[in-house]
Amino acid sequence: MILKKVDVVSDISKEDFQKNYFKKKRPLLIKNFAARWDAFDKWNLAYIREKAGEQEVPLYDNKPASASKSSDEPVTHMKMKEYIDTIKSKPSDLRIFFYIITDRLPELLKNFTYPDLGIRFFKRLPTLFFGGSEAHVLMHYDVDLGDFLHIHFEGKKRILLFDQKQSAFLYKVPLSVHTVYDVDYENPDYEKFPALQYAEGYEIFMEHGDALFIPGAFWHFNRYLEPGFSLSLRALPNKPKVFVNMLYHVFIMRYTDKILRKLGKESWVNYKQKWAYEKSNEALEKHLQTKK
C-alpha cells in the first residue's frame, strides 16, 4: 500500500476547515482536540465504568460473521464493568460497536460541546466504540455515507483511510461496504492480494483527545493498539446525489445482500469473496497496462 500522512493541526478556524478539508473531502487530524472541553477529565474508561458499569453490552471480536448468522450479531454479552476490566487487564480483541450515548449514557453528553466547524451534526446519534489491545475493525466505509468527526480516548489507535477511487485495489466485496475478510492490513500479503500494493491512502496514529475528520464514504480500518474508546459525531449527506446514494445503500443494497445471504448462506459469501478477488485483479491488469 502507498500510505502518506494526513495534515495535522493543533487548532483550525471554521473557515479554514470548510475551505481546505470539508469541501475538498480531505481528512484532517486535530491534535489534543478534546482537551478544550471543560469536562475533558471525564472522558476515560474509569468514568464510564462508574456510570454504566451495570449495563449489559453486546460484544464483537475480530472474526468475520458466520454466513449462517446476521453480520451484526454479537459473539457474547457482558456487563460494562466486566468488559472494561477485561480489556484493561489482558490482551483482548473484544469490542463494543455503536454504543448510542443518548440512549445508554445521556449524562455523558453534558461533558462535551459540538465543535464549531460548520458541520451540521446529527445529534441523535453521537456514538461510542470500544476496543481491547488486539481489536480491529474490518476495512469498510459507513453505509450512511456521512462525514464524521472521530475523537479518540485512552490508548493509541491506528487508522488507515482510502477514498472511493481506491475501491478496485482494496478487494471490495459486491453488495457490501467492506473488503474481503482475509486481507491483513497490518501485514499485507501482496502475493495473494497483488492489487493492494497500489492502493493509495493515509496512515494515522491517534492518541488521547485527538480528533480525526473522516469524509463521507472513505474506507477506514481501525486498529486499537491499546485499550481505548472513540466518540463519533456524524453528519448526514447534504447533497442530493449523495443522499440518494445513501438511500440506495441503506434500503436496497444492504437488504438485497441480507436476503441473498439468508438464501445462499456460505455459498453466497464465498461467491462474493471470489468476485471481489477477480474484479481487483482485473483492475490491477488495467492499471499495469496503462503504465507500459
Side-chain angles (χ1 to χ4, degrees):
M1 296 180 291
I2 305 169
L3 301 176
K4 57 185 178 181
K5 296 180 179 179
V6 297
D7 289 351
V8 180
V9 298
S10 58
D11 197 9
I12 190 169
S13 68
K14 177 169 62 177
E15 292 74 23
D16 188 4
F17 174 77
Q18 284 287 316
K19 177 182 177 181
N20 295 308
Y21 299 97
F22 187 75
K23 292 181 179 179
K24 293 182 179 180
K25 300 298 180 183
R26 293 173 57 201
L28 173 71
L29 180 65
I30 309 174
K31 293 295 294 181
N32 210 25
F33 174 84
R36 66 194 71 186
W37 299 342
D38 292 338
F40 177 53
D41 62 333
K42 294 182 179 179
W43 286 87
N44 54 65
L45 291 171
Y47 180 83
I48 293 175
R49 186 188 187 282
E50 175 189 348
K51 297 298 182 180
E54 295 300 322
Q55 292 182 11
E56 186 174 272
V57 291
L59 300 177
Y60 302 82
D61 58 18
N62 290 344
K63 299 181 183 67
S66 168
S68 61
K69 298 180 180 179
S70 171
S71 58
D72 54 5
E73 184 174 336
V75 296
T76 189
H77 291 77
M78 195 180 289
K79 285 189 175 182
M80 177 67 85
K81 64 181 181 181
E82 295 171 354
Y83 169 70
I84 291 176
D85 290 345
T86 296
I87 64 173
K88 292 185 72 173
S89 64
K90 61 183 180 181
S92 174
D93 68 348
L94 292 176
R95 56 188 177 85
I96 299 174
F97 170 77
F98 222 74
Y99 180 95
I100 302 177
I101 304 176
T102 49
D103 295 338
R104 306 299 300 270
L105 194 57
E107 63 188 276
L108 194 58
L109 295 176
K110 303 174 184 177
N111 298 334
F112 84 101
T113 53
Y114 281 92
D116 184 18
L117 294 172
I119 301 178
R120 296 182 63 182
F121 291 108
F122 184 40
K123 296 184 178 181
R124 171 66 183 88
L125 284 179
T127 51
L128 296 181
F129 301 83
F130 300 75
S133 62
E134 294 186 346
H136 70 251
V137 181
L138 186 70
M139 179 71 77
H140 69 288
Y141 64 92
D142 291 356
V143 71
D144 64 8
L145 308 182
D147 304 294
F148 65 101
L149 195 68
H150 193 68
I151 308 166
H152 189 61
F153 304 98
E154 296 270 352
K156 296 179 180 179
K157 189 176 191 178
R158 177 180 184 248
I159 294 183
L160 301 180
L161 296 180
F162 299 88
D163 64 29
Q164 282 292 313
K165 295 177 182 178
Q166 306 303 311
S167 295
F169 298 128
L170 294 174
Y171 296 85
K172 179 187 184 301
V173 174
L175 288 181
S176 75
V177 294
H178 62 78
T179 61
V180 294
Y181 294 139
D182 51 348
V183 175
D184 183 349
Y185 288 97
E186 296 180 269
N187 298 286
D189 184 346
Y190 294 131
E191 291 187 6
K192 186 175 183 180
F193 302 104
L196 192 62
Q197 62 191 307
Y198 296 99
E200 299 182 18
Y202 302 91
E203 180 181 40
I204 303 100
F205 290 93
M206 299 187 71
E207 298 178 308
H208 184 59
D210 292 349
L212 176 65
F213 168 63
I214 302 180
F218 256 60
W219 291 96
H220 45 285
F221 169 82
N222 300 343
R223 168 67 158 90
Y224 294 86
L225 302 176
E226 298 169 332
F229 67 102
S230 302
L231 165 69
S232 281
L233 306 176
R234 314 190 65 77
L236 294 178
N238 57 4
K239 294 183 178 179
K241 185 177 180 180
V242 180
F243 188 78
V244 170
N245 194 15
M246 182 268 286
L247 294 178
Y248 162 76
H249 271 72
V250 173
F251 296 107
I252 299 177
M253 186 187 79
R254 185 171 65 165
Y255 284 99
T256 299
D257 183 60
K258 282 189 174 183
I259 292 171
L260 293 173
R261 186 186 184 97
K262 186 174 182 179
L263 294 173
K265 295 185 170 57
E266 195 71 36
S267 61
W268 169 243
V269 173
N270 291 338
Y271 173 73
K272 289 199 302 176
Q273 299 280 307
K274 182 180 178 181
W275 187 1
Y277 191 82
E278 292 174 350
K279 287 295 183 181
S280 285
N281 284 345
E282 289 176 8
L284 173 60
E285 290 180 9
K286 290 180 181 179
H287 177 74
L288 295 178
Q289 287 175 0
T290 60
K291 300 186 79 174
K292 291 182 178 179

